[in-house]
Amino acid sequence: MQNLIRLSFVKLLLFFYVVFCLSKENRIVSLTPSITESLYILGEKENVVGITTFCRRISKKQKVVGTYLEVNVEEIVKLRPDIVFVSKEGFKKEAVDKLMMLGINVVVLDPVNSYDELKKQFLTIAKNLDKEKIAEKIIKEYERKIDKIKKSNKILGKKVLCVLSTQPIFVASEKSYIGEIIKYTGAENVIKSDIRYPQVDIEEILKLKPDVIILPSMGIQEKQAKKFFLRYKEIPAVRNNKIFVLPSNILCQPTIKNFFVAINEISKLLDE
């Protein structure tokens, strides 16, 4: 009888231990805005305790631990994170090395320039949080939405140019993340270059004759860019009033949700 009671007690302890382990919430610090958004998509809003100034802050409890390029290691350590996420693109190696030396689990993720790389990054984040099944389900949901847009699109062959700045002129090539978005709309990116965001001159744009020009919203720069192009009526996009502005976050922050939203928004603009 005593053995039976002892066995039942051990089983009870084991049960509570398993429940505790499964329900233990991670304290997460994200040092990259797009990764922060991916964490929110995965349902980790309450667990993201540290972010950068460029991340979307959803709670006063979240501590800002620096900028995208400069982070405060001491502030991160104070938060006692279980895991820190950062992208290789733009991160400070010295800060990451310090965190690792202090025994903090840091996951350094590859930059995203294609849809396949986007899915890979999203699944890697999920894997580190034991949420792979959830991530796979989310990807399937968005892929269904993207396929629906692609099937209904009637904009094949439209020539698109995405301009990031005009002084000097920097544009998004077909090798960039923005280029991938344009490809998925069925349109043609007029910038063919192995450099993701090359610098070009106005003469080259005049030769390329884009049907549509897309600008990421950046306040004053956005107004200056529109004013800049209005001088060149020989460009079809200017002549036909096809210069559009889209929120910079959906164009420049690669997440599974933003990828779909960007394709959807650009497709609607191209169909006008």
Side-chain angles (χ1 to χ4, degrees):
M1 184 68 177
Q2 284 183 339
N3 287 339
L4 187 60
I5 293 171
R6 192 178 296 114
L7 183 62
S8 299
F9 180 69
V10 170
K11 285 181 178 179
L12 190 63
L13 283 177
L14 184 62
F15 170 77
F16 281 117
Y17 175 75
V18 170
V19 168
F20 172 77
C21 289
L22 290 175
S23 63
K24 183 180 180 295
E25 294 179 342
N26 288 299
R27 291 177 62 80
I28 305 168
V29 170
S30 172
L31 304 178
T32 307
S34 58
I35 294 173
T36 303
E37 291 300 319
S38 288
L39 289 164
Y40 294 162
I41 292 168
L42 285 167
E44 294 290 333
K45 290 182 180 181
E46 298 298 320
N47 299 329
V48 178
V49 296
I51 55 173
T52 71
T53 52
F54 292 98
C55 297
R56 182 166 62 97
R57 195 179 186 192
I58 59 170
S59 169
K60 290 180 180 179
K61 293 178 183 179
Q62 290 177 320
K63 179 75 176 178
V64 175
V65 295
T67 67
Y68 180 51
L69 298 174
E70 292 285 345
V71 296
N72 189 320
V73 172
E74 288 71 26
E75 289 298 326
I76 295 173
V77 173
K78 283 180 188 176
L79 291 173
R80 298 176 286 105
D82 297 299
I83 190 165
V84 175
F85 288 103
V86 63
S87 171
K88 279 182 184 175
E89 199 164 56
F91 85 115
K92 273 283 185 181
K93 188 177 183 302
E94 296 85 356
V96 170
D97 288 344
K98 279 184 185 177
L99 291 169
M100 288 180 169
M101 282 175 63
L102 292 167
I104 294 173
N105 180 20
V106 182
V107 178
V108 181
L109 298 160
D110 291 327
V112 170
N113 294 301
S114 70
Y115 183 53
D116 285 341
E117 289 173 355
L118 174 60
K119 288 191 290 184
K120 182 183 175 183
Q121 187 191 85
F122 190 57
L123 288 168
T124 301
I125 294 169
K127 185 177 180 180
N128 279 276
L129 301 170
D130 295 322
K131 286 195 166 184
E132 278 183 285
K133 295 289 184 187
I134 293 172
E136 287 169 1
K137 185 178 178 183
I138 291 169
I139 288 170
K140 283 180 182 177
E141 286 175 2
Y142 278 108
E143 284 189 332
R144 277 197 293 270
K145 293 178 181 179
I146 291 168
D147 285 341
K148 189 176 179 182
I149 293 171
K150 288 170 76 176
K151 286 175 183 176
S152 62
N153 270 351
K154 299 174 183 176
I155 53 177
L156 292 173
K158 281 198 178 179
K159 296 161 72 176
V160 177
L161 172 69
C162 182
V163 179
L164 304 178
S165 70
T166 54
Q167 296 178 346
I169 304 173
F170 279 97
V171 294
S173 81
E174 59 185 356
K175 298 291 184 182
S176 68
Y177 172 70
I178 295 174
E180 185 83 342
I181 292 170
I182 293 170
K183 183 180 81 174
Y184 268 73
T185 66
E188 177 194 350
N189 188 339
V190 296
I191 303 298
K192 317 294 183 187
S193 172
D194 288 331
I195 301 169
R196 288 179 296 151
Y197 300 102
Q199 182 178 342
V200 300
D201 54 37
I202 190 62
E203 286 73 24
E204 187 174 348
I205 293 174
L206 290 170
K207 289 176 186 175
L208 292 169
K209 301 184 186 315
D211 299 308
V212 173
I213 294 174
I214 294 171
L215 307 170
S217 60
M218 290 182 282
I220 295 171
Q221 287 185 29
E222 165 198 325
K223 292 178 182 177
Q224 289 174 341
K226 273 195 167 184
K227 189 177 179 182
F228 172 82
F229 279 110
L230 288 175
R231 293 178 286 173
Y232 302 101
K233 298 292 184 181
E234 54 269 63
I235 300 173
V238 179
R239 188 170 59 248
N240 299 317
N241 197 27
K242 296 291 184 180
I243 301 177
F244 301 111
V245 177
L246 286 176
S248 55
N249 64 309
I250 69 167
L251 286 174
C252 306
Q253 287 186 12
T255 71
I256 198 76
K257 179 182 177 182
N258 284 345
F259 191 76
F260 159 70
V261 173
I263 293 169
N264 191 41
E265 290 301 312
I266 292 173
S267 295
K268 286 191 287 187
L269 293 175
L270 294 176
D271 204 30
E272 286 183 1

